[in-house]
Amino acid sequence: MAFMIRRFYSSVVEKTVLISRSTDVFENLALEHWYYRHSDFTNKSMLLLWVNSNSVVIGRHQNPWLEVNFDPAIDLRIARRNSGGGTVFHDNENLNMTFFTNRDIYNRKQNLELIVETLKNEWNVVTEINKREDIVIDNMYKISGTASKLGRPNAYHHCTLLVNCNRELMSNLLRKREKNIETNATVSVTSDVLNLTQINNKVCINRLMTAVGLQYLKTVGNTTTINQGFNYVTPNEQTFPGFNEIKNEMESWEWIYGRTPKFNITVKCNDQSVILSVKNGIIENVATACNVSLNNLVNEKFNMNIVEEIKQHLKTIKK
């Protein structure tokens, strides 16, 4: 016999806007996941606003070596988030927003419309939502990317909003380059982007937080809303028990690199080639017709330095 479990909702919904005091990407991703895992959003919804220092955040099912152009000279953190979708660049001029709800009332389009309305009302910046549910200007230039985590009972939609980010650095880090990687991992779609300050130079992060937050608090559906206002939060173990465990996992090699879907990478030099098979971030096989022994690489953690080392070996082979 099948039983139906019906969730009952009150006609009163509590709404809160939280602003993270942290600019650490791992702390903010851990905070986001803590709320997703531990909160009851049956009759409550919440907007979390957060800003990170320089970082690249890949989607849950992506390959960091394919998505990111690693440069040891750049002070940068690489993170993998829990939601799907593509890779994004964060810096202190890029606002991140996470809309938490119960799964049954999840509405990503409504969240995006709220942002579009805020930009129009506050700065007369006209934007639209495209078929991929990005927010764009002139149906061409992307100012916001979006992704979701849909579970039971909770869900969230999060998105970025480019205010005045370092577009040159973002381009250098994320520009597509041929890396000879074969994979079934999710691949980011390249888009032309604009900063909001290029449209209206009066847009700033702090005012944007206030404007989006106020719009969120006053947006009411068919329910009575209890407005809990704005609150600052500091991500830490004392306030959020279990936080450190989540953060430690988020910043571990096993999560960032070890969760990469299986892939093959072909290394070429002087008409010679080597194929590495990588599973869970570990080299499991080396295939080559060259007169060079590279079996010592098997069971090693893959990184781009290994590619350069192989190229040096291939240069020594006489034709």
Side-chain angles (χ1 to χ4, degrees), residues 2-29:
F3 293 91
M4 178 178 292
I5 299 175
R6 186 180 301 275
R7 184 176 292 274
F8 292 94
Y9 295 93
S10 165
S11 60
V12 178
V13 173
E14 177 183 305
K15 300 184 82 171
T16 307
V17 177
L18 298 179
I19 301 175
S20 173
R21 288 192 175 97
S22 175
T23 58
D24 182 294
V25 63
F26 297 114
E27 290 185 353
N28 283 325
L29 288 173

Side-chain angles (χ1 to χ4, degrees), residues 260-272:
T260 301
K262 185 175 180 178
F263 68 97
N264 292 335
I265 180 168
T266 302
V267 184
K268 299 179 180 180
C269 186
N270 291 347
D271 296 325
Q272 308 284 349

Side-chain angles (χ1 to χ4, degrees), residues 98-265:
T98 307
F99 297 84
F100 293 93
T101 62
N102 187 275
R103 170 70 178 269
D104 293 338
I105 58 173
Y106 169 86
N107 190 331
R108 180 158 74 176
K109 188 70 174 292
Q110 178 177 287
N111 300 334
L112 296 173
E113 288 171 346
L114 180 156
I115 297 168
V116 168
E117 184 175 353
T118 300
L119 293 174
K120 179 66 170 64
N121 291 344
E122 291 292 319
W123 294 281
N124 199 31
V125 174
V126 178
T127 59
E128 55 190 329
I129 304 164
N130 66 13
K131 293 180 179 179
R132 292 178 52 82
E133 295 195 321
D134 298 322
I135 299 178
V136 296
I137 292 176
D138 296 334
N139 199 31
M140 181 187 309
Y141 300 105
K142 182 175 174 179
I143 63 167
S144 175
T146 200
S148 301
K149 176 78 171 176
L150 305 178
R152 288 290 179 186
N154 294 336
Y156 63 75
H157 156 229
H158 54 190
C159 59
T160 60
L161 202 52
L162 300 178
V163 178
N164 190 25
C165 82
N166 188 333
R167 291 199 306 151
E168 182 180 359
L169 178 57
M170 176 170 61
S171 177
N172 289 339
L173 291 168
L174 305 185
R175 184 188 298 116
K176 293 297 182 185
R177 298 176 183 174
E178 181 54 57
K179 298 178 181 178
N180 298 310
I181 291 177
E182 296 180 9
T183 180
N184 291 323
T186 302
V187 178
S188 298
V189 177
T190 302
S191 302
D192 293 324
V193 300
L194 274 181
N195 280 317
L196 286 168
T197 54
Q198 294 177 263
I199 308 302
N200 186 328
N201 60 16
K202 293 182 180 180
V203 182
C204 66
I205 287 282
N206 288 339
R207 185 177 167 192
L208 184 60
M209 283 185 174
T210 301
V212 170
L214 288 173
Q215 185 67 30
Y216 173 79
L217 291 172
K218 76 177 184 181
T219 301
V220 180
N222 297 320
T223 59
T224 301
T225 301
I226 298 177
N227 182 340
Q228 295 292 341
F230 289 75
N231 292 282
Y232 282 91
V233 292
T234 301
N236 57 47
E237 179 70 21
Q238 182 177 0
T239 308
F240 305 97
F243 171 83
N244 285 346
E245 180 182 355
I246 299 173
K247 178 177 177 288
N248 290 341
E249 180 184 6
M250 286 281 186
E251 59 188 356
S252 69
W253 185 95
E254 287 73 18
W255 173 257
I256 301 170
Y257 300 103
R259 293 298 294 265
T260 301
K262 185 175 180 178
F263 68 97
N264 292 335
I265 180 168

Side-chain angles (χ1 to χ4, degrees), residues 296-313:
N296 62 301
L297 296 178
V298 175
N299 294 325
E300 290 291 318
K301 292 179 178 179
F302 177 79
N303 61 72
M304 294 308 291
N305 290 334
I306 288 176
V307 172
E308 295 306 314
E309 291 172 10
I310 292 174
K311 288 180 179 179
Q312 293 303 316
H313 279 293

